[in-house]
Amino acid sequence: MDSFEKAWIIDEAACPLENILAHFKDKAEFIIQEKNLESVEYKKSLLRPIHFLEPLDELKKEAIQTFIRYLNSKRYSSNTIKVYSDSMSTFLRYFSMKDISDISNDDLIDFNNNYILKNNFSSSFQNQVVNAVKLYFSAIQHKKIDVELIHRPRREKVLPNVLSKEEVKAILNAHVNIKHKMMLSLIYSCGLRCGELLALEPIHIDSKRNIILIKNSKGKKDRIVPLSQKILEMLRTYYKLHKPKRYLFEGQTSGMPYDKRSLQLVLKQALNKTKIIKPVTLHWLRHSYATHLLENGTDLRYIQEILGHSS
């Protein structure tokens, strides 16, 4: 057995494929090179119940790129483009032995039952794939896939995760670094999404009206959110110290936005300092902001507008 670029090359004579599959069942994804292998179809059938999918061939790779170009031309968000293209790629990999033009509604039902449901993938993943497939075939293939025949799961109505006011205060006061403290404070005090915070520019802060302009947010909508006097004073102190060039919060490279993963680490460090063991995410701060407003008697319609929700 030789190691090469983080992979293992195994002599099948010394270790039969069936033994490897049995050992790594439900733990790994396999790519089988058909050269010099016997009974390949039988060995592929062993893999189908687990998360094995064939790599895309060149035609299907080009189909995904065509789909991405279409999504870009329609100005879908970068996150939606990634989700849709990844979902479509998974779908086409499942039908590696079938031409795209031959894929029918029955194939989508097969994929739903024998890949998504058998592997216990989430309902959100299921809906993402169905939406991506529907859009791809209608926009690119000009072929209707009737998604109404797919038994879509009901959307779970889960209550948002909320922190107490004391927990929020502890998190916001955990950092001495004013930049880290400022970022977490803005997310909570204005109910911002992570991406909205990182896209902020100094010109979006209207200190005379005590508001922040959120540009091109989710759903490509602009909105304004109130800015408290206390947060405004913190922002002025932060701005004098850091003097950002373009974005309000910049990373190590001047003029470039702060990294999302670094922001998540800022929250993790705050949690470690406060000894809060809940699996808190940045979005919990946004949920907590809305809940605390509601508890204080703020009108639900007003909270909806501040958060940028359509409903």
Side-chain angles (χ1 to χ4, degrees), residues 14-44:
C15 185
L17 181 60
E18 288 78 1
N19 293 354
I20 298 172
L21 295 178
H23 183 76
F24 289 102
K25 185 178 180 181
D26 297 325
K27 298 178 181 177
E29 179 174 327
F30 296 86
I31 297 175
I32 301 176
Q33 293 182 343
E34 300 190 14
K35 186 178 180 180
N36 297 329
L37 287 181
E38 298 177 359
S39 306
V40 170
E41 290 304 319
Y42 164 70
K43 291 166 184 174
K44 284 181 183 176

Side-chain angles (χ1 to χ4, degrees), residues 4-143:
F4 177 72
E5 293 186 352
K6 297 183 181 180
W8 296 100
I9 301 172
I10 302 173
D11 183 356
E12 194 185 14
C15 185
L17 181 60
E18 288 78 1
N19 293 354
I20 298 172
L21 295 178
H23 183 76
F24 289 102
K25 185 178 180 181
D26 297 325
K27 298 178 181 177
E29 179 174 327
F30 296 86
I31 297 175
I32 301 176
Q33 293 182 343
E34 300 190 14
K35 186 178 180 180
N36 297 329
L37 287 181
E38 298 177 359
S39 306
V40 170
E41 290 304 319
Y42 164 70
K43 291 166 184 174
K44 284 181 183 176
S45 69
L46 290 176
L47 290 164
R48 183 61 72 188
I50 62 175
H51 300 183
F52 171 79
L53 292 174
E54 295 278 5
L56 290 174
D57 60 27
E58 292 305 315
L59 285 176
K60 289 187 172 68
K61 285 181 182 178
E62 179 55 35
I64 296 298
Q65 290 305 312
T66 300
F67 191 35
I68 290 173
R69 288 193 291 270
Y70 169 81
L71 295 172
N72 272 315
S73 70
K74 287 290 186 178
R75 301 202 177 197
Y76 281 77
S77 70
S78 57
N79 184 60
T80 300
I81 292 173
K82 176 170 174 48
V83 169
Y84 274 30
S85 59
D86 286 351
S87 298
M88 197 61 207
S89 177
T90 300
F91 181 75
L92 293 181
R93 287 177 65 196
Y94 182 81
F95 294 104
S96 60
M97 306 299 290
K98 198 165 191 174
D99 290 340
I100 296 177
S101 58
D102 294 332
I103 293 176
S104 67
N105 214 87
D106 290 339
D107 293 316
L108 182 53
I109 294 173
D110 169 53
F111 178 82
N112 182 56
N113 290 316
N114 294 315
Y115 184 73
I116 294 177
L117 298 182
K118 274 192 176 180
N119 288 310
N120 293 316
F121 290 137
S122 69
S123 57
S124 60
F125 173 74
Q126 182 177 346
N127 278 318
Q128 285 170 2
V129 173
V130 171
N131 290 336
V133 170
K134 178 184 178 182
L135 180 59
Y136 173 80
F137 278 96
S138 62
I140 308 300
Q141 292 291 318
H142 305 294
K143 177 180 178 180

Side-chain angles (χ1 to χ4, degrees), residues 163-179:
L163 296 161
S164 69
K165 293 179 182 178
E166 292 73 23
E167 288 172 325
V168 171
K169 185 177 180 180
I171 290 171
L172 300 186
N173 290 332
H175 281 293
V176 176
N177 183 304
I178 188 171
K179 187 176 190 177

Side-chain angles (χ1 to χ4, degrees), residues 160 162 186-194 196 212 214 216-226 282-294 298-311:
V162 175
L186 261 185
I187 287 178
Y188 172 72
S189 67
C190 297
L192 302 183
R193 299 180 178 94
C194 176
E196 292 171 348
I212 297 179
I214 310 298
N216 202 23
S217 183
K218 188 175 182 179
K220 299 193 178 297
K221 296 179 292 185
D222 293 352
R223 74 179 193 278
I224 58 174
V225 295
L282 293 165
H283 217 65
W284 280 38
L285 294 176
R286 175 174 153 90
H287 287 161
S288 300
Y289 165 74
T291 303
H292 296 162
L293 284 179
L294 191 62
T298 305
D299 184 79
L300 192 61
R301 174 64 183 171
Y302 179 67
I303 297 174
Q304 175 188 332
E305 290 180 358
I306 291 175
L307 295 180
H309 285 171
S310 58
S311 64

